[in-house]
Amino acid sequence: MRPLYFAPPRSTPGMTQAPPSKVFIKTFGCQMNEYDSSKMVDVLKAARGYERTLDIDDADLVLLNTCSVREKASEKVFSDLGRLKAWKAAKPGRLVGVGGCVASQEGDAIAKRATAVDLVFGPQTLHRLPELIDQTRATLRPAVDVRFPEIEKFDRLPEPRAEGPTAFVSIMEGCSKYCTFCIVPYTRGEEISRPLDDVLAEVDSLLGQGVREITLLGQNVNAYNGVMADGSHCDLALLLHILARFDGLGRVRYTTSHPAHFNDALIDAFASIPKLDNQLHLPVQSGSDRILAMMKRGYTQADYLRKIFRLRKVRPNISLSTDLIVGFPSETDEDFEQTMALIEAARFDAAYSFIYSPRPGTPAANLRDGVPLDVKQARLERVQARIREFGEQFAARLVGTVQSVLVTGPSRKGGSQLTGKTPCNRSINFDGPAHDAARLVGQFVDVQVTASMANSLRGEIVTADARGLLPLL
């Protein structure tokens, strides 16, 4: 069998080298999918010399990295595939691939329904892209691999490549919670944690390339249980303490958490690890105990709030975001009011909120949905309006404070304007040194917040002796 990675043939004098093939990737969904798309690029570049392009007409390969979480996800993918027929026919040799969760869910049915498709692969088989390309070119038939080969993907990925001062590191795959509304366990498989040494090696490599902030990823990241060299296991709290000792690492984040696994050790980590981001995304889904039981979430409203109140004791000004589903089958007015009560108590300053829609293959898809659409829409508007108010209040409290900002690049406003992230993961724009603003990219600087806008903050760089005079939010 041909190895996954091999050296390209050497050119000889007088021989014209063909330009590299190019890949265009359209990514749907979560940060895990964004991470997977970046790894697809790494695999294709290492194995076949592909370069990523943002111009689809310049591409030789188009990949749709799909997500099953949104409503009518499959229909949207097939709509895109229909439009790709003309693109593929315009130039011989072009290929079309479908990856991600819809690929796992639909399998070879995608290729049967959409004749433009050449490759179908799941989140756990993206490392086989070069082999699948070879297979479809050799057989002139679609190549399909949507298996769950456990941790094999990480063993066969190229060395990580940094693209700026921030990076994602996936520490586990899959989910074993089987919430009744969620398709993820069926499309990404059971929870599998990467060995601790593998995670640390990837982080160390990224830090050596100038990365200053790491975001740890997993469908249920706080259930991480990586094997250590001595055969014992490392949980997420211990991993955070280990990473905090890395000199080059300025800040660490993690997402997405499940409340059932958000334990005292993780709360204590917020108290004892200054490098841990001052923001937490903790999806609650509903405030009704009855609905939470129907969703099979494994906690009550009181359980959730106890954890939030304890967290706020150790980090009073932490930014807290969540996921909320309104209109779950049989949700009553009382159920919904319990969700509003939870929002009031938790004071979320951001949320991903949606009207429930059934996912084929999930238990909840079989439930009778008797909640009228206009009622669902009215409930969603109330949720979003209240959380927007809390978000505006949170941002307003930042005005006048000094934040340690990781400068991530030039602002879209141009000139010497820079942009970066505060410890609570808010974007902030500010003027850099007029003569050499670019030198600050990848560094932490003290910035005083001067204004809060709808989606970002404004600020001014302050002198070093201002550090610590104002509270960290």
Side-chain angles (χ1 to χ4, degrees):
M1 180 185 293
R2 175 182 290 176
L4 181 60
Y5 309 119
F6 62 93
R10 295 179 181 177
S11 60
T12 58
M15 180 179 179
T16 302
Q17 193 163 358
S21 298
K22 295 184 179 180
V23 57
F24 175 91
I25 303 180
K26 182 175 181 179
T27 306
F28 303 79
C30 65
Q31 288 176 316
M32 286 293 293
N33 268 19
E34 294 287 352
Y35 173 87
D36 284 346
S37 290
S38 70
K39 294 306 176 184
M40 291 175 199
V41 175
D42 290 348
V43 166
L44 291 169
K45 182 174 180 63
R48 300 293 186 271
Y50 275 83
E51 299 287 349
R52 190 169 192 173
T53 179
L54 301 179
D55 182 357
I56 191 170
D57 291 325
D58 197 31
D60 305 285
L61 169 65
V62 166
L63 299 177
L64 304 181
N65 190 12
T66 63
C67 174
S68 296
V69 173
R70 299 291 184 267
E71 185 178 7
K72 298 180 181 178
S74 295
E75 287 85 346
K76 292 174 182 176
V77 170
F78 284 112
S79 176
D80 279 349
L81 291 173
R83 290 191 289 269
L84 283 171
K85 280 185 179 180
W87 172 86
K88 185 177 179 181
K91 181 179 176 182
R94 281 177 165 174
L95 298 176
V96 173
V98 180
C101 293
V102 171
S104 289
Q105 192 174 4
E106 301 285 340
D108 60 5
I110 292 177
K112 291 177 181 177
R113 179 174 165 184
T115 57
V117 173
D118 304 287
L119 315 166
V120 181
F121 57 98
Q124 274 73 23
T125 51
L126 66 86
H127 60 282
R128 294 200 63 237
L129 267 172
E131 297 171 25
L132 296 175
I133 290 173
D134 289 349
Q135 180 181 328
T136 193
R137 290 201 186 281
T139 64
L140 303 180
R141 297 173 62 84
V144 179
D145 189 346
V146 291
R147 298 171 299 138
F148 298 132
E150 296 188 348
I151 211 74
E152 176 188 306
K153 176 176 84 172
F154 295 106
D155 292 338
R156 298 182 64 184
L157 289 176
E159 287 295 313
R161 290 187 304 120
E163 297 181 354
T166 65
F168 295 112
V169 174
S170 182
I171 63 174
M172 63 185 299
E173 283 279 351
C175 182
S176 301
K177 300 307 291 181
Y178 288 93
C179 300
T180 58
F181 59 86
C182 185
I183 196 67
V184 168
Y186 308 98
T187 59
R188 284 187 176 263
E190 294 276 320
E191 291 170 357
I192 299 292
S193 295
R194 294 178 67 188
L196 174 64
D197 285 352
D198 290 359
V199 173
L200 299 183
E202 182 168 344
V203 171
D204 188 60
S205 175
L206 290 167
L207 295 180
Q209 299 175 61
V211 168
R212 302 298 307 281
E213 177 186 278
I214 294 290
T215 301
L216 305 176
L217 295 179
Q219 266 74 37
N220 182 14
V221 70
N222 50 10
Y224 175 73
N225 191 36
V227 176
M228 296 193 286
D230 62 2
S232 59
H233 286 76
C234 174
D235 64 8
L236 180 60
L238 177 56
L239 174 59
L240 292 171
H241 282 283
I242 293 171
L243 291 178
R245 297 200 294 264
F246 280 59
D247 290 336
L249 183 61
R251 188 176 294 157
V252 62
R253 305 174 58 230
Y254 61 89
T255 194
T256 291
S257 296
H258 191 291
H261 290 279
F262 187 66
N263 56 25
D264 288 348
L266 286 171
I267 294 173
D268 291 341
F270 278 99
S272 58
I273 304 176
K275 290 183 179 181
L276 186 54
D277 201 32
N278 203 40
Q279 190 269 340
L280 175 67
H281 184 70
L282 192 63
V284 66
Q285 307 302 353
S286 174
S288 163
D289 289 349
R290 187 180 74 85
I291 296 297
L292 289 171
M294 290 179 66
M295 291 177 168
K296 198 182 171 185
R297 291 294 285 175
Y299 53 84
T300 65
Q301 182 193 109
D303 295 333
Y304 185 92
L305 287 176
R306 273 194 294 269
K307 296 180 180 185
I308 295 306
F309 295 156
R310 182 155 189 267
L311 175 64
R312 290 204 186 276
K313 283 185 178 179
V314 301
R315 289 276 186 106
N317 298 311
I318 193 168
S319 169
L320 184 65
S321 60
T322 195
D323 293 347
L324 288 162
I325 296 173
V326 301
F328 192 78
S330 82
E331 182 186 68
T332 65
D333 288 342
E334 176 58 28
D335 291 322
F336 176 70
E337 291 304 327
Q338 288 298 311
T339 294
M340 293 303 300
L342 171 71
I343 292 171
E344 292 297 322
R347 300 182 65 87
F348 303 112
D349 54 271
Y352 297 102
S353 51
F354 309 97
I355 291 174
Y356 169 77
S357 60
R359 296 295 174 265
T362 62
N366 298 318
L367 297 175
R368 181 177 177 274
D369 186 1
V371 184
L373 181 59
D374 61 336
V375 172
K376 294 179 183 180
Q377 290 174 330
R379 290 174 181 173
L380 181 65
E381 288 172 6
R382 278 189 63 191
V383 164
Q384 293 179 337
R386 191 62 180 124
I387 292 176
R388 187 163 52 248
E389 289 175 354
F390 281 133
E392 291 170 353
Q393 292 169 16
F394 184 92
R397 291 198 302 272
L398 294 171
V399 176
T401 66
V402 173
Q403 302 288 307
S404 178
V405 172
L406 174 60
V407 184
T408 55
S411 170
R412 285 179 292 183
K413 292 184 174 293
S416 62
Q417 278 252 313
L418 296 169
T419 190
K421 292 282 190 176
T422 68
C424 57
N425 203 34
R426 296 270 172 148
S427 294
I428 185 166
N429 298 303
F430 54 95
D431 285 325
H435 59 286
D436 190 14
R439 68 180 174 83
L440 293 182
V441 175
Q443 297 186 41
F444 286 91
V445 298
D446 285 342
V447 178
Q448 185 168 39
V449 181
T450 58
S452 62
M453 318 299 286
N455 298 307
S456 63
L457 304 170
R458 298 289 183 271
E460 297 175 349
I461 293 180
V462 297
T463 57
D465 58 5
R467 187 189 301 272
L469 295 181
L470 294 168
L472 177 69
L473 288 180

